[in-house]
Amino acid sequence: AAAAEAAKAVVPAAPARPDDGARPQSPSGGAERLLPCSACGVRVPEGRGLRDGERFFCSETCRKAGR
């Protein structure tokens, strides 16, 4: 039992993340919209994708492929 208590003292607990399981937040604090990529269809948070005119892409690779 003493060894188990010593092991607990040596291994620090991982810090709690208040956003675990939360939806991505927009700068205004609300939930961010998920938009489909115009090239591959993967849905990504609006703030993480790229716009090219009216089209939305999940990455620079898809933006180049979608031209």
Side-chain angles (χ1 to χ4, degrees):
E5 288 300 315
K8 287 180 188 175
V10 173
V11 179
R17 290 183 47 197
D19 62 340
D20 277 351
R23 295 180 69 185
Q25 297 291 308
S26 69
S28 64
E32 197 168 0
R33 292 188 309 165
L34 294 177
L35 299 177
C37 174
S38 295
C40 72
V42 169
R43 297 175 65 86
V44 295
E46 186 173 16
R48 296 186 68 189
L50 305 167
R51 289 210 176 265
D52 190 353
E54 294 294 316
R55 299 176 73 193
F56 180 80
F57 299 95
C58 67
S59 66
E60 182 64 23
T61 300
C62 275
R63 188 189 68 77
K64 287 178 181 176
R67 287 196 162 251

